[in-house]
Coordinates of all heavy atoms in Angstrom, one line a residue:
S1 N -15.4 2.3 -1.0 CA -14.9 0.9 -1.2 C -13.4 1.1 -1.5 O -12.9 2.1 -1.9 CB -15.6 0.2 -2.3 OG -15.5 0.9 -3.6
Y2 N -12.7 0.0 -1.5 CA -11.2 -0.1 -1.7 C -10.9 -0.3 -3.1 O -10.8 -1.5 -3.5 CB -10.6 -1.1 -0.7 CG -11.0 -0.8 0.8 CD1 -12.2 -1.5 1.3 CD2 -10.4 0.1 1.6 CE1 -12.6 -1.3 2.6 CE2 -10.7 0.2 2.9 CZ -11.8 -0.4 3.4 OH -12.3 -0.2 4.6
N3 N -10.7 0.7 -3.9 CA -10.6 0.5 -5.3 C -9.1 0.8 -5.9 O -8.9 0.3 -7.0 CB -11.4 1.7 -6.1 CG -12.9 1.4 -5.8 OD1 -13.4 0.3 -5.7 ND2 -13.7 2.6 -5.7
Y4 N -8.2 1.2 -5.1 CA -7.0 1.7 -5.6 C -5.9 0.8 -5.2 O -5.5 0.7 -4.0 CB -6.7 3.1 -5.2 CG -5.5 3.7 -6.0 CD1 -5.7 4.4 -7.3 CD2 -4.2 3.6 -5.5 CE1 -4.7 4.9 -8.0 CE2 -3.1 4.1 -6.3 CZ -3.4 4.7 -7.5 OH -2.4 5.3 -8.2
D5 N -5.2 0.0 -6.2 CA -4.1 -0.9 -5.9 C -2.8 0.0 -5.8 O -2.6 0.9 -6.6 CB -4.0 -1.9 -6.9 CG -5.1 -2.9 -6.9 OD1 -5.3 -3.5 -5.9 OD2 -5.7 -3.1 -8.0
I6 N -2.0 -0.4 -4.8 CA -0.7 0.2 -4.8 C 0.3 -0.9 -5.3 O -0.1 -2.0 -5.7 CB -0.3 0.6 -3.4 CG1 -0.1 -0.5 -2.5 CG2 -1.3 1.7 -2.8 CD1 0.6 -0.3 -1.0
V7 N 1.6 -0.6 -5.4 CA 2.6 -1.4 -5.9 C 3.7 -1.7 -4.9 O 3.8 -0.9 -4.1 CB 3.2 -1.0 -7.3 CG1 2.1 -0.9 -8.3 CG2 3.9 0.3 -7.1
G8 N 4.4 -2.8 -5.1 CA 5.6 -3.0 -4.3 C 5.4 -3.8 -3.0 O 6.3 -4.0 -2.3
E9 N 4.2 -4.2 -2.8 CA 3.8 -4.8 -1.5 C 4.8 -6.1 -1.3 O 5.0 -6.5 -0.2 CB 2.5 -5.3 -1.4 CG 1.4 -4.2 -1.5 CD 0.8 -4.1 -2.9 OE1 1.5 -4.1 -3.9 OE2 -0.4 -4.2 -2.9
Q10 N 5.2 -6.8 -2.4 CA 5.9 -8.0 -2.3 C 7.3 -7.7 -1.5 O 7.7 -8.6 -0.8 CB 6.3 -8.5 -3.8 CG 6.7 -10.0 -3.7 CD 5.6 -10.9 -3.2 OE1 4.4 -10.8 -3.5 NE2 6.0 -11.9 -2.4
S11 N 7.8 -6.5 -1.6 CA 9.0 -6.2 -0.9 C 8.8 -5.9 0.6 O 9.8 -5.8 1.3 CB 9.7 -5.0 -1.5 OG 10.0 -5.2 -2.9
Y12 N 7.5 -5.8 0.9 CA 7.3 -5.4 2.3 C 6.3 -6.4 3.0 O 5.5 -6.1 3.9 CB 6.6 -4.0 2.4 CG 7.5 -3.0 1.7 CD1 7.2 -2.6 0.4 CD2 8.6 -2.5 2.3 CE1 8.1 -1.7 -0.3 CE2 9.5 -1.7 1.6 CZ 9.2 -1.3 0.4 OH 10.0 -0.4 -0.2
Q13 N 6.4 -7.6 2.6 CA 5.6 -8.7 3.2 C 5.7 -8.8 4.8 O 4.8 -9.1 5.5 CB 5.8 -10.1 2.6 CG 5.3 -10.1 1.1 CD 3.8 -10.0 1.0 OE1 3.1 -10.8 1.5 NE2 3.4 -8.9 0.3
K14 N 6.9 -8.7 5.3 CA 7.2 -8.8 6.7 C 6.5 -7.7 7.4 O 5.9 -7.9 8.5 CB 8.7 -8.7 7.0 CG 9.4 -9.9 6.6 CD 10.9 -9.9 7.0 CE 11.6 -11.1 6.6 NZ 13.1 -11.1 6.9
N15 N 6.5 -6.5 6.9 CA 5.8 -5.4 7.5 C 4.3 -5.6 7.5 O 3.6 -5.4 8.4 CB 6.1 -4.1 6.8 CG 7.5 -3.6 7.2 OD1 8.2 -4.0 8.1 ND2 7.9 -2.5 6.4
L16 N 3.7 -6.1 6.4 CA 2.3 -6.4 6.2 C 1.9 -7.5 7.2 O 0.9 -7.4 7.8 CB 1.9 -6.8 4.8 CG 2.0 -5.6 3.9 CD1 2.1 -6.0 2.4 CD2 0.8 -4.6 4.1
K17 N 2.7 -8.5 7.4 CA 2.4 -9.6 8.4 C 2.4 -9.0 9.8 O 1.5 -9.4 10.6 CB 3.5 -10.7 8.3 CG 3.3 -11.8 9.2 CD 4.4 -12.9 9.1 CE 4.2 -14.0 10.1 NZ 5.2 -15.0 10.1
K18 N 3.4 -8.0 10.1 CA 3.3 -7.4 11.4 C 2.0 -6.8 11.7 O 1.5 -6.8 12.8 CB 4.4 -6.5 11.6 CG 5.8 -7.1 11.8 CD 6.9 -6.0 11.8 CE 8.3 -6.5 11.9 NZ 9.3 -5.5 11.9
I19 N 1.5 -6.1 10.7 CA 0.2 -5.4 10.8 C -1.1 -6.3 10.8 O -1.9 -6.2 11.7 CB 0.1 -4.3 9.7 CG1 1.2 -3.4 9.7 CG2 -1.2 -3.6 9.7 CD1 1.5 -2.6 8.5
A20 N -1.2 -7.2 9.8 CA -2.4 -8.0 9.6 C -2.4 -9.3 10.3 O -3.4 -9.9 10.5 CB -2.6 -8.2 8.1
G21 N -1.2 -9.7 10.8 CA -1.1 -11.0 11.5 C -0.6 -12.1 10.6 O -0.6 -11.9 9.4
P22 N -0.3 -13.3 11.1 CA 0.2 -14.3 10.3 C -0.9 -14.8 9.4 O -2.1 -14.6 9.5 CB 0.6 -15.4 11.4 CG -0.2 -15.1 12.5 CD -0.5 -13.6 12.5
K23 N -0.4 -15.5 8.3 CA -1.2 -16.0 7.3 C -2.2 -17.2 8.0 O -1.7 -17.9 8.9 CB -0.5 -16.7 6.1 CG 0.3 -15.6 5.3 CD 1.0 -16.2 4.2 CE 1.7 -15.0 3.4 NZ 2.4 -15.5 2.3
E24 N -3.4 -17.2 7.5 CA -4.4 -18.1 8.0 C -5.0 -18.9 6.8 O -4.7 -18.5 5.6 CB -5.5 -17.4 8.8 CG -4.9 -16.7 10.0 CD -5.9 -15.8 10.7 OE1 -7.1 -15.7 10.3 OE2 -5.6 -15.2 11.8
Q25 N -5.9 -19.8 7.0 CA -6.4 -20.6 6.0 C -7.2 -19.7 5.0 O -7.1 -19.9 3.8 CB -7.4 -21.7 6.5 CG -7.9 -22.7 5.4 CD -8.6 -23.8 6.0 OE1 -8.7 -24.0 7.1 NE2 -9.0 -24.7 5.0
L26 N -7.9 -18.8 5.5 CA -8.7 -17.8 4.6 C -8.0 -16.5 4.4 O -7.2 -16.1 5.3 CB -10.1 -17.6 5.2 CG -10.9 -18.8 5.3 CD1 -12.4 -18.5 6.1 CD2 -11.2 -19.6 4.1
S27 N -8.2 -15.9 3.2 CA -7.7 -14.6 2.9 C -8.0 -13.6 3.8 O -9.1 -13.6 4.4 CB -8.2 -14.3 1.5 OG -7.6 -13.1 1.1
K28 N -7.1 -12.7 4.1 CA -7.3 -11.5 5.1 C -8.2 -10.5 4.4 O -8.0 -10.3 3.2 CB -6.0 -10.9 5.5 CG -5.1 -11.9 6.3 CD -5.4 -11.9 7.7 CE -4.4 -12.7 8.4 NZ -4.5 -12.7 9.8
F29 N -8.8 -9.7 5.2 CA -9.4 -8.4 4.8 C -9.4 -7.4 6.0 O -10.3 -7.3 6.8 CB -11.0 -8.6 4.4 CG -11.5 -7.4 3.7 CD1 -11.3 -7.3 2.3 CD2 -12.3 -6.5 4.4 CE1 -11.8 -6.2 1.6 CE2 -12.8 -5.5 3.7 CZ -12.6 -5.2 2.3
Y30 N -8.1 -7.0 6.1 CA -7.8 -6.3 7.4 C -8.0 -4.7 7.1 O -7.2 -4.2 6.4 CB -6.4 -6.6 7.8 CG -5.9 -5.9 9.1 CD1 -6.2 -6.4 10.3 CD2 -5.2 -4.7 9.1 CE1 -5.8 -5.8 11.6 CE2 -4.8 -4.1 10.2 CZ -5.1 -4.7 11.4 OH -4.7 -4.0 12.6
K31 N -9.0 -4.2 7.7 CA -9.3 -2.7 7.5 C -8.3 -1.9 8.4 O -8.1 -2.2 9.6 CB -10.6 -2.3 7.8 CG -11.6 -3.0 6.9 CD -13.1 -2.5 7.3 CE -14.1 -3.2 6.3 NZ -15.5 -2.9 6.7
C32 N -7.8 -0.8 7.8 CA -6.7 0.0 8.6 C -6.8 1.4 8.0 O -7.6 1.7 7.1 CB -5.4 -0.7 8.6 SG -4.9 -1.1 6.9
V33 N -5.8 2.2 8.3 CA -5.7 3.5 7.9 C -4.2 3.6 7.3 O -3.2 3.1 8.0 CB -5.8 4.6 8.9 CG1 -5.5 6.0 8.5 CG2 -7.2 4.5 9.5
A34 N -4.1 4.1 6.1 CA -2.7 4.4 5.4 C -2.4 5.8 5.4 O -3.3 6.7 5.1 CB -2.7 3.8 4.1
K35 N -1.1 6.1 5.5 CA -0.6 7.5 5.3 C 0.1 7.5 3.9 O 1.1 6.6 3.7 CB 0.3 7.8 6.4 CG 0.8 9.3 6.3 CD 1.5 9.8 7.6 CE 2.0 11.2 7.4 NZ 2.7 11.7 8.4
V36 N -0.3 8.3 3.1 CA 0.3 8.5 1.7 C 1.0 9.7 1.6 O 0.5 10.8 1.8 CB -0.9 8.4 0.6 CG1 -0.4 8.4 -0.7 CG2 -1.8 7.2 0.9
T37 N 2.4 9.6 1.3 CA 3.2 10.8 1.5 C 4.2 10.9 0.3 O 4.8 9.8 -0.1 CB 4.0 10.6 2.8 OG1 3.1 10.3 3.9 CG2 4.7 12.0 3.2
S38 N 4.4 12.0 -0.1 CA 5.6 12.3 -1.1 C 6.9 11.9 -0.5 O 7.1 12.1 0.7 CB 5.5 13.8 -1.5 OG 4.4 14.2 -2.0
E39 N 7.7 11.4 -1.3 CA 9.1 11.0 -0.8 C 10.1 11.5 -1.8 O 10.8 10.7 -2.6 CB 9.1 9.4 -0.7 CG 10.4 8.9 0.0 CD 10.5 7.4 0.1 OE1 10.1 6.7 -0.9 OE2 10.9 7.0 1.1
P40 N 10.4 12.9 -1.8 CA 11.3 13.5 -2.7 C 12.7 13.0 -2.6 O 13.5 13.1 -3.4 CB 11.1 14.9 -2.5 CG 10.5 15.2 -1.2 CD 9.7 13.9 -1.0
S41 N 13.0 12.5 -1.4 CA 14.4 12.0 -1.1 C 14.7 10.6 -1.6 O 15.8 10.0 -1.5 CB 14.7 12.1 0.4 OG 13.8 11.2 1.1
N42 N 13.7 9.9 -2.2 CA 13.8 8.6 -2.7 C 14.9 8.6 -3.8 O 14.8 9.3 -4.9 CB 12.5 8.1 -3.3 CG 12.5 6.7 -3.8 OD1 13.4 6.2 -4.6 ND2 11.6 5.9 -3.3
K43 N 16.0 7.8 -3.6 CA 17.2 7.8 -4.6 C 16.8 7.2 -5.9 O 17.5 7.4 -6.9 CB 18.3 7.2 -3.9 CG 18.2 5.8 -3.6 CD 19.5 5.2 -3.0 CE 19.4 3.7 -2.6 NZ 20.5 3.2 -2.0
Y44 N 15.7 6.5 -6.1 CA 15.3 5.8 -7.3 C 14.3 6.7 -8.0 O 14.2 6.5 -9.3 CB 14.8 4.5 -7.0 CG 15.8 3.6 -6.3 CD1 15.6 3.3 -5.0 CD2 16.9 3.0 -7.0 CE1 16.5 2.4 -4.3 CE2 17.8 2.2 -6.2 CZ 17.6 2.0 -4.9 OH 18.5 1.2 -4.3
D45 N 13.6 7.4 -7.4 CA 12.4 8.2 -8.2 C 12.1 9.4 -7.2 O 11.4 9.3 -6.2 CB 11.2 7.3 -8.3 CG 10.1 7.9 -9.0 OD1 10.2 9.1 -9.4 OD2 9.1 7.3 -9.3
K46 N 12.4 10.6 -7.7 CA 12.1 11.8 -6.9 C 10.6 12.1 -6.9 O 10.2 12.8 -6.0 CB 12.8 13.0 -7.6 CG 12.3 13.4 -9.0 CD 13.0 14.6 -9.5 CE 12.6 15.0 -10.8 NZ 11.2 15.0 -11.1
D47 N 9.9 11.5 -7.7 CA 8.4 11.7 -7.6 C 7.7 10.6 -6.8 O 6.4 10.6 -6.8 CB 7.8 11.6 -9.1 CG 8.3 12.8 -9.9 OD1 8.5 13.9 -9.4 OD2 8.4 12.7 -11.1
A48 N 8.5 9.7 -6.2 CA 7.8 8.6 -5.4 C 6.9 9.1 -4.3 O 7.1 10.0 -3.8 CB 9.0 7.8 -4.8
I49 N 5.8 8.2 -4.2 CA 4.8 8.6 -3.2 C 4.7 7.2 -2.4 O 4.2 6.2 -3.0 CB 3.4 9.0 -3.8 CG1 3.7 10.3 -4.6 CG2 2.4 9.1 -2.6 CD1 2.5 10.9 -5.2
K50 N 5.0 7.3 -1.1 CA 5.1 6.0 -0.4 C 3.7 5.9 0.4 O 3.0 6.8 0.6 CB 6.3 6.1 0.6 CG 6.1 7.2 1.6 CD 7.3 7.1 2.6 CE 7.4 8.2 3.6 NZ 8.5 8.2 4.5
V51 N 3.5 4.6 0.8 CA 2.3 4.2 1.6 C 2.8 3.5 2.8 O 3.5 2.6 2.8 CB 1.3 3.3 0.7 CG1 0.1 3.0 1.6 CG2 0.9 4.0 -0.6
E52 N 2.3 4.1 4.0 CA 2.7 3.5 5.2 C 1.4 3.2 6.0 O 0.5 3.9 5.9 CB 3.6 4.4 6.1 CG 4.8 4.8 5.5 CD 5.6 5.9 6.3 OE1 5.0 6.9 6.4 OE2 6.8 5.6 6.6
I53 N 1.6 2.1 6.8 CA 0.5 1.7 7.8 C 1.1 1.4 9.1 O 2.1 0.7 9.1 CB -0.3 0.4 7.2 CG1 -0.9 0.8 5.8 CG2 -1.3 0.0 8.2 CD1 -1.6 -0.5 5.2
N54 N 0.6 2.0 10.2 CA 1.2 1.9 11.4 C 2.6 2.2 11.5 O 3.4 1.7 12.2 CB 1.0 0.4 12.0 CG -0.4 0.1 12.2 OD1 -1.3 1.0 12.1 ND2 -0.7 -1.1 12.5
G55 N 3.0 3.2 10.6 CA 4.4 3.7 10.6 C 5.3 2.8 9.8 O 6.5 3.0 9.8
L56 N 4.9 1.7 9.2 CA 5.6 0.8 8.5 C 5.4 0.9 6.9 O 4.2 1.0 6.5 CB 5.3 -0.7 8.8 CG 5.6 -1.0 10.3 CD1 5.1 -2.5 10.6 CD2 7.1 -1.0 10.7
L57 N 6.5 1.0 6.1 CA 6.4 1.1 4.7 C 5.8 -0.2 4.2 O 6.1 -1.2 4.5 CB 7.7 1.4 4.1 CG 7.8 1.5 2.6 CD1 7.0 2.8 2.2 CD2 9.2 1.8 2.2
V58 N 4.7 0.0 3.3 CA 4.0 -1.2 2.8 C 4.1 -1.2 1.2 O 3.6 -2.1 0.6 CB 2.6 -1.4 3.3 CG1 2.7 -1.7 4.8 CG2 1.7 -0.3 3.0
G59 N 4.4 -0.1 0.6 CA 4.4 0.0 -0.8 C 4.4 1.5 -1.3 O 4.6 2.4 -0.6
Y60 N 4.0 1.6 -2.6 CA 4.1 2.9 -3.3 C 2.9 3.0 -4.3 O 2.4 2.0 -4.7 CB 5.4 3.1 -4.1 CG 6.6 3.3 -3.2 CD1 7.4 2.2 -2.7 CD2 7.1 4.5 -2.9 CE1 8.4 2.4 -1.8 CE2 8.2 4.8 -2.1 CZ 8.8 3.7 -1.6 OH 9.9 3.9 -0.8
L61 N 2.7 4.3 -4.7 CA 1.8 4.5 -5.8 C 2.6 4.0 -7.1 O 3.8 4.3 -7.0 CB 1.4 5.9 -5.9 CG 0.5 6.5 -4.8 CD1 0.0 7.9 -5.3 CD2 -0.6 5.7 -4.4
N62 N 2.0 3.6 -8.1 CA 2.8 3.2 -9.3 C 3.4 4.4 -9.9 O 2.9 5.6 -9.7 CB 2.0 2.4 -10.3 CG 1.1 3.1 -11.2 OD1 1.5 4.2 -11.8 ND2 -0.2 2.7 -11.2
R63 N 4.6 4.3 -10.4 CA 5.5 5.4 -11.0 C 4.6 6.4 -11.9 O 4.8 7.6 -11.7 CB 6.6 4.9 -11.7 CG 7.7 5.9 -12.1 CD 8.8 5.2 -12.8 NE 9.5 4.4 -11.8 CZ 10.8 4.5 -11.4 NH1 11.6 5.5 -11.9 NH2 11.3 3.7 -10.5
S64 N 3.9 5.9 -12.8 CA 3.3 6.8 -13.8 C 2.2 7.6 -13.0 O 2.0 8.9 -13.4 CB 2.6 6.0 -14.9 OG 1.6 5.1 -14.6
E65 N 1.5 7.0 -12.1 CA 0.4 7.8 -11.3 C 1.2 8.8 -10.4 O 0.8 10.0 -10.3 CB -0.3 6.9 -10.5 CG -1.2 5.9 -11.2 CD -2.5 6.6 -11.7 OE1 -3.4 6.7 -10.8 OE2 -2.6 7.0 -12.9
A66 N 2.3 8.5 -9.8 CA 3.0 9.4 -9.0 C 3.5 10.6 -9.8 O 3.5 11.7 -9.2 CB 4.1 8.7 -8.3
Q67 N 4.0 10.3 -10.9 CA 4.5 11.4 -11.8 C 3.5 12.4 -12.1 O 3.7 13.7 -12.3 CB 5.1 10.8 -13.1 CG 6.4 10.2 -12.9 CD 7.0 9.5 -14.1 OE1 6.2 9.2 -15.1 NE2 8.3 9.3 -14.2
K68 N 2.2 12.0 -12.2 CA 1.1 13.0 -12.4 C 0.9 13.9 -11.3 O 0.4 15.0 -11.4 CB -0.2 12.2 -12.6 CG -0.2 11.4 -13.9 CD -1.5 10.6 -14.0 CE -1.5 9.6 -15.1 NZ -2.7 8.8 -15.2
L69 N 1.5 13.7 -10.1 CA 1.4 14.5 -8.9 C 2.7 15.2 -8.7 O 2.9 15.8 -7.6 CB 1.0 13.7 -7.6 CG -0.4 13.0 -7.7 CD1 -0.6 12.1 -6.6 CD2 -1.5 14.1 -7.8
S70 N 3.7 15.1 -9.6 CA 5.0 15.8 -9.5 C 4.8 17.2 -9.0 O 4.1 18.0 -9.6 CB 5.8 15.5 -10.7 OG 7.0 16.1 -10.6
G71 N 5.6 17.6 -8.1 CA 5.7 19.0 -7.6 C 4.6 19.3 -6.6 O 4.7 20.3 -5.9
K72 N 3.7 18.3 -6.3 CA 2.8 18.5 -5.3 C 3.2 17.8 -4.0 O 3.8 16.8 -4.1 CB 1.3 18.0 -5.6 CG 0.7 18.7 -6.7 CD -0.6 18.1 -7.2 CE -1.4 18.9 -8.1 NZ -0.7 19.4 -9.3
N73 N 3.0 18.4 -2.8 CA 3.4 17.8 -1.6 C 2.2 17.0 -1.1 O 1.2 17.5 -0.6 CB 3.8 18.8 -0.5 CG 4.3 18.2 0.8 OD1 4.8 17.1 0.7 ND2 4.0 18.9 1.8
I74 N 2.3 15.7 -1.2 CA 1.2 14.7 -0.8 C 1.4 14.3 0.6 O 2.5 13.8 0.9 CB 1.2 13.5 -1.8 CG1 1.0 14.0 -3.2 CG2 0.0 12.6 -1.4 CD1 -0.1 14.9 -3.6
N75 N 0.4 14.4 1.4 CA 0.4 14.0 2.8 C -1.0 13.8 3.3 O -1.6 14.7 3.8 CB 1.2 15.1 3.6 CG 1.4 14.6 5.1 OD1 1.1 13.5 5.4 ND2 1.9 15.5 5.9
K76 N -1.5 12.6 3.0 CA -2.9 12.3 3.2 C -3.1 11.1 3.9 O -2.3 10.1 3.7 CB -3.6 12.3 1.8 CG -5.1 12.2 1.8 CD -5.7 13.5 1.7 CE -7.2 13.4 1.4 NZ -7.7 14.7 1.1
T77 N -4.1 11.0 4.8 CA -4.4 9.8 5.5 C -5.7 9.3 4.9 O -6.7 10.0 4.7 CB -4.7 10.1 7.0 OG1 -3.4 10.6 7.5 CG2 -5.1 8.8 7.8
V78 N -5.7 8.0 4.5 CA -6.8 7.4 3.8 C -7.1 6.0 4.4 O -6.2 5.4 4.9 CB -6.7 7.3 2.3 CG1 -6.5 8.6 1.6 CG2 -5.5 6.4 2.0
L79 N -8.3 5.6 4.2 CA -8.7 4.2 4.6 C -8.1 3.2 3.7 O -7.9 3.5 2.5 CB -10.3 4.1 4.7 CG -11.0 4.9 5.7 CD1 -12.5 4.7 5.6 CD2 -10.6 4.6 7.1
A80 N -7.7 2.1 4.2 CA -7.1 1.0 3.4 C -7.5 -0.3 3.9 O -8.1 -0.4 5.0 CB -5.6 1.2 3.5
V81 N -7.2 -1.3 3.1 CA -7.3 -2.7 3.5 C -6.1 -3.5 3.1 O -5.6 -3.3 2.0 CB -8.7 -3.2 2.9 CG1 -8.6 -3.4 1.4 CG2 -9.0 -4.6 3.5
I82 N -5.8 -4.4 3.9 CA -4.7 -5.4 3.6 C -5.5 -6.7 3.3 O -6.3 -7.2 4.0 CB -3.8 -5.7 4.8 CG1 -3.0 -4.3 5.1 CG2 -2.8 -6.8 4.4 CD1 -2.2 -4.4 6.4
N83 N -5.3 -7.2 2.1 CA -6.0 -8.4 1.7 C -5.0 -9.5 1.2 O -3.9 -9.2 1.1 CB -7.0 -8.1 0.6 CG -6.4 -7.5 -0.7 OD1 -5.2 -7.3 -0.7 ND2 -7.2 -7.2 -1.7
G84 N -5.5 -10.7 1.0 CA -4.6 -11.8 0.7 C -4.1 -12.4 2.0 O -4.7 -12.4 3.0
G85 N -2.9 -12.9 1.9 CA -2.3 -13.5 3.1 C -2.9 -14.7 3.6 O -3.2 -15.0 4.7
W86 N -3.2 -15.7 2.7 CA -3.8 -17.0 3.1 C -2.7 -18.1 2.9 O -1.8 -17.9 2.2 CB -5.0 -17.3 2.3 CG -4.7 -17.8 0.9 CD1 -4.4 -19.1 0.4 CD2 -4.6 -17.0 -0.3 NE1 -4.1 -19.1 -0.9 CE2 -4.2 -17.8 -1.4 CE3 -4.7 -15.6 -0.5 CZ2 -4.0 -17.3 -2.6 CZ3 -4.5 -15.1 -1.8 CH2 -4.2 -16.0 -2.9
N87 N -3.0 -19.2 3.6 CA -2.1 -20.4 3.5 C -3.0 -21.5 3.8 O -3.3 -21.8 5.1 CB -0.9 -20.4 4.5 CG 0.0 -21.5 4.1 OD1 -0.4 -22.5 3.5 ND2 1.1 -21.4 4.7
D88 N -3.6 -22.2 2.8 CA -4.6 -23.3 3.1 C -4.0 -24.6 3.0 O -4.7 -25.7 2.9 CB -5.7 -23.1 2.2 CG -5.4 -23.2 0.7 OD1 -4.3 -23.6 0.4 OD2 -6.3 -22.9 -0.1
G89 N -2.6 -24.7 2.9 CA -2.0 -26.1 2.8 C -1.8 -26.4 1.3 O -0.7 -27.1 1.1
D90 N -2.5 -26.0 0.4 CA -2.3 -26.3 -1.0 C -1.7 -25.0 -1.7 O -0.9 -25.2 -2.6 CB -3.7 -26.6 -1.7 CG -4.3 -27.9 -1.2 OD1 -3.5 -28.8 -0.9 OD2 -5.6 -27.9 -1.1
S91 N -2.1 -23.9 -1.2 CA -1.5 -22.6 -1.9 C -1.4 -21.5 -0.9 O -2.0 -21.6 0.3 CB -2.5 -22.1 -3.0 OG -3.7 -21.7 -2.4
E92 N -0.5 -20.6 -1.2 CA -0.3 -19.5 -0.3 C -0.3 -18.2 -0.9 O 0.2 -18.1 -2.0 CB 1.1 -19.7 0.4 CG 1.4 -18.7 1.5 CD 2.8 -19.1 2.2 OE1 3.3 -20.2 2.1 OE2 3.3 -18.2 2.8
G93 N -0.9 -17.2 -0.4 CA -1.1 -15.9 -1.0 C -0.3 -14.8 -0.3 O -0.2 -14.7 0.9
S94 N 0.2 -13.9 -1.1 CA 1.0 -12.7 -0.6 C -0.1 -11.7 -0.1 O -1.2 -11.7 -0.5 CB 1.8 -12.1 -1.6 OG 2.8 -12.9 -2.1
Y95 N 0.4 -10.8 0.8 CA -0.5 -9.8 1.3 C -0.5 -8.6 0.2 O 0.5 -8.4 -0.5 CB 0.1 -9.1 2.6 CG 0.0 -10.0 3.8 CD1 1.1 -10.8 4.1 CD2 -1.1 -10.2 4.5 CE1 1.1 -11.6 5.3 CE2 -1.1 -11.0 5.7 CZ -0.1 -11.7 6.0 OH 0.0 -12.5 7.0
G96 N -1.6 -7.9 0.0 CA -1.7 -6.8 -0.8 C -2.4 -5.7 -0.2 O -3.0 -5.9 1.0
V97 N -2.4 -4.5 -0.7 CA -3.0 -3.3 0.0 C -3.8 -2.6 -1.1 O -3.4 -2.4 -2.3 CB -1.9 -2.4 0.5 CG1 -2.6 -1.1 1.0 CG2 -1.0 -3.0 1.5
K98 N -5.0 -2.2 -0.7 CA -5.8 -1.3 -1.6 C -6.2 -0.1 -0.8 O -6.6 -0.2 0.5 CB -7.1 -2.1 -2.0 CG -6.9 -3.2 -3.0 CD -8.2 -3.9 -3.4 CE -8.0 -4.9 -4.4 NZ -8.2 -4.4 -5.8
L99 N -6.3 1.0 -1.3 CA -6.7 2.3 -0.8 C -8.2 2.6 -1.1 O -8.6 2.3 -2.2 CB -5.8 3.4 -1.2 CG -4.3 3.2 -1.0 CD1 -3.5 4.5 -1.5 CD2 -3.9 3.0 0.4
A100 N -8.8 3.3 -0.1 CA -10.2 3.7 -0.4 C -10.2 5.0 -1.1 O -10.8 6.0 -0.6 CB -10.9 3.7 0.9
I101 N -9.7 5.1 -2.3 CA -9.8 6.3 -3.1 C -10.2 5.8 -4.6 O -10.0 4.6 -4.9 CB -8.4 7.1 -3.2 CG1 -7.3 6.2 -3.7 CG2 -8.0 7.6 -1.8 CD1 -6.0 7.0 -4.0
N102 N -10.7 6.7 -5.3 CA -11.1 6.3 -6.7 C -10.0 6.6 -7.6 O -9.8 5.8 -8.5 CB -12.4 7.1 -7.1 CG -13.6 6.6 -6.2 OD1 -13.8 5.4 -6.1 ND2 -14.3 7.5 -5.7
N103 N -9.2 7.7 -7.4 CA -8.0 8.0 -8.3 C -7.2 8.9 -7.5 O -7.4 9.4 -6.4 CB -8.5 8.5 -9.6 CG -9.4 9.8 -9.4 OD1 -8.9 10.8 -8.9 ND2 -10.5 9.7 -10.0
I104 N -6.0 9.3 -8.1 CA -5.0 10.0 -7.4 C -5.4 11.4 -7.1 O -4.9 12.0 -6.2 CB -3.7 10.0 -8.2 CG1 -3.8 10.5 -9.6 CG2 -3.0 8.7 -8.1 CD1 -2.5 10.9 -10.2
S105 N -6.4 11.9 -7.8 CA -6.9 13.3 -7.5 C -7.5 13.4 -6.0 O -7.5 14.4 -5.5 CB -7.8 13.8 -8.5 OG -9.0 13.0 -8.5
D106 N -7.9 12.2 -5.5 CA -8.4 12.2 -4.2 C -7.3 12.4 -3.1 O -7.5 12.7 -2.0 CB -9.1 10.8 -3.8 CG -10.3 10.5 -4.7 OD1 -10.9 11.5 -5.1 OD2 -10.7 9.4 -4.8
L107 N -6.0 12.4 -3.5 CA -4.9 12.6 -2.6 C -4.4 14.1 -2.5 O -3.7 14.5 -1.7 CB -3.7 11.8 -3.0 CG -4.0 10.3 -3.0 CD1 -2.8 9.6 -3.7 CD2 -4.3 9.8 -1.5
V108 N -4.9 14.9 -3.5 CA -4.6 16.3 -3.5 C -5.4 17.2 -2.6 O -6.6 17.0 -2.5 CB -4.6 16.9 -4.9 CG1 -4.1 18.2 -5.0 CG2 -3.7 16.0 -5.8

């Protein structure tokens, strides 16, 4: 099951829309595959671990979790789901991403 939340998806809503499609009345549950990769060249955080779907950046592991993997070269493909992304006329939801891992040790 899809247990692991990533962070930063709000900054990548356009990419998520390209992948999952436009918002609809009901929330999305779009199954896909994510690539989880160390990003040592990240100018804000040398321990950053990015999450991409279809080659598009969609978010990151949270900073404290990524720091636990510091020094390890993470390059893993995992099942993922894009959820949210509804617009029912009364309210609108952002897209989010969950990975099918239980914890970060599944990435090593």
